[in-house]
Amino acid sequence: RCAALSCPPMSTDSEHPAEHDVHDSPVRPRRKGVYVLPNLITLAALFGGFYAVVMAMNGRFEQAAIGVFCAMVLDSLDGRVARMTNTQSTFGEQMDSLSDMVSFGAAPALIVYEWALKGMGWVAAFIYCSCAALRLARFNTNLTVVDKRYFQGLPSPAAAAVVMGFIWVMDDAGYKQIDMQGWLAWLALALTVLAGLTMVTNLPFYSFKEFSLKRTVPFVVIVALALAIALVNLHPPIVLFAVFCLYAGSGYGVYVWKRMKGRPVSVIATSTDEPEEEGLHR
């Protein structure tokens, strides 16, 4: 009896063939899907940038400006929608960056070249386009070290709004063929280069990421939003151009104010470990 208790019956391979088949069979990798809603909004933003280029090629610069501004609104929604619906993905992040490069990098550069810079060369347009690419690349690589309250350099949608807002205002004022207006072409060139270079500076620009659609706000905030919408409707070209010019200048103002107060200007929250990047973010 003791021998029987101490010596349990030994199982053989033939008793559990199914168990060995399960462990020996290769596990198929699970297919990764793509979330429809946020990526659909990103595609709509990409369409806005492409539509703007097509309209500029046909000489319809007002429609081109509207296309870029619509892309900007959609670009601000896709990330918020993804976070609210818990549908964030690496695919969506890469798709958003590519859409931004087209809508806020290549599109404004090509449009301002078509509108004002044909007789002056394409260098200024390329400077803007290359600065937009550099700004997006830096943004993607510095996500974990930048203070979330601020952007490092002027965001590419805001830079595109400055350039396209200027074109929209001038087109609305009747300057549709500016090859006879040399001063206007030089002004467009200077504004394009300045907007491009501001994107790659280390100036701090408020990100508005602390504003959440899930949080409650005072009633006065809703009233202020209603007044802002009414103000934009008074004359969209001038109001939008003025708003984004003020935002583009806010980074320089914050930089000067912090310097005067002796406060740190860098928006880097945590220093990087790579020694070759030392001093680049001061």
Side-chain angles (χ1 to χ4, degrees):
R1 182 178 177 182
C2 294
L5 291 175
S6 60
C7 300
M10 298 179 62
S11 61
T12 61
D13 294 342
S14 60
E15 293 179 0
H16 304 285
E19 181 179 351
H20 288 276
D21 292 342
V22 171
H23 289 292
D24 294 340
S25 61
V27 179
R28 291 185 178 181
R30 183 179 178 182
R31 292 184 177 180
K32 294 183 178 181
V34 177
Y35 295 110
V36 175
L37 183 58
N39 289 289
L40 184 62
I41 298 175
T42 304
L43 280 175
L46 177 62
F47 173 78
F50 182 79
Y51 171 84
V53 174
V54 174
M55 290 298 102
M57 293 171 61
N58 290 279
R60 301 173 63 182
F61 295 103
E62 180 181 3
Q63 299 300 320
I66 293 174
V68 173
F69 277 99
C70 288
M72 188 189 322
V73 174
L74 294 168
D75 178 69
S76 66
L77 291 178
D78 57 1
R80 294 182 182 275
V81 169
R83 288 189 293 271
M84 291 178 63
T85 57
N86 197 24
T87 54
Q88 304 100 314
S89 65
T90 304
F91 177 88
E93 294 176 358
Q94 300 301 321
M95 184 68 187
D96 182 69
S97 294
L98 294 173
S99 174
D100 288 353
M101 183 57 212
V102 173
S103 299
F104 311 126
L110 293 172
I111 293 169
V112 73
Y113 171 78
E114 187 74 20
W115 183 70
L117 304 179
K118 270 189 174 182
M120 307 180 68
W122 46 265
V123 176
F126 174 73
I127 290 174
Y128 176 91
C129 187
S130 60
C131 287
L134 292 170
R135 199 258 179 236
L136 289 169
R138 185 178 65 176
F139 174 80
N140 291 337
T141 55
N142 282 358
L143 280 174
T144 58
V145 298
V146 173
D147 188 346
K148 300 299 183 183
R149 297 173 300 171
Y150 296 96
F151 290 120
Q152 186 183 14
L154 183 65
S156 56
V162 171
V163 175
M164 297 306 303
F166 177 74
I167 295 175
W168 194 2
V169 169
M170 293 296 105
D171 183 84
D172 185 68
Y175 294 100
K176 301 181 183 298
Q177 299 292 333
I178 67 166
D179 53 344
M180 300 299 294
Q181 301 288 338
W183 64 271
L184 196 53
W186 282 105
L187 184 58
L189 184 148
L191 187 65
T192 302
V193 173
L194 180 61
L197 294 179
T198 307
M199 282 191 284
V200 294
T201 60
N202 293 324
L203 298 175
F205 290 87
Y206 190 67
S207 65
F208 298 99
K209 290 184 178 181
E210 294 180 346
F211 178 76
S212 177
L213 297 177
K214 295 182 179 180
R215 298 177 183 175
T216 59
V217 295
F219 179 74
V220 67
V221 175
I222 304 299
V223 176
L225 290 175
L227 292 176
I229 294 174
L231 182 63
V232 171
N233 285 327
L234 289 178
H235 199 279
I238 293 179
V239 175
L240 290 175
F241 179 60
V243 167
F244 282 100
C245 281
L246 289 174
Y247 180 73
S250 67
Y252 293 94
V254 172
Y255 178 85
V256 172
W257 180 76
K258 287 190 174 184
R259 282 293 188 187
M260 292 176 62
K261 295 291 184 179
R263 297 181 180 180
V265 181
S266 176
V267 297
I268 299 297
T270 306
S271 60
T272 58
D273 296 330
E274 300 181 14
E276 62 269 18
E277 293 191 2
E278 184 179 357
L280 290 180
H281 310 302
R282 294 178 182 176

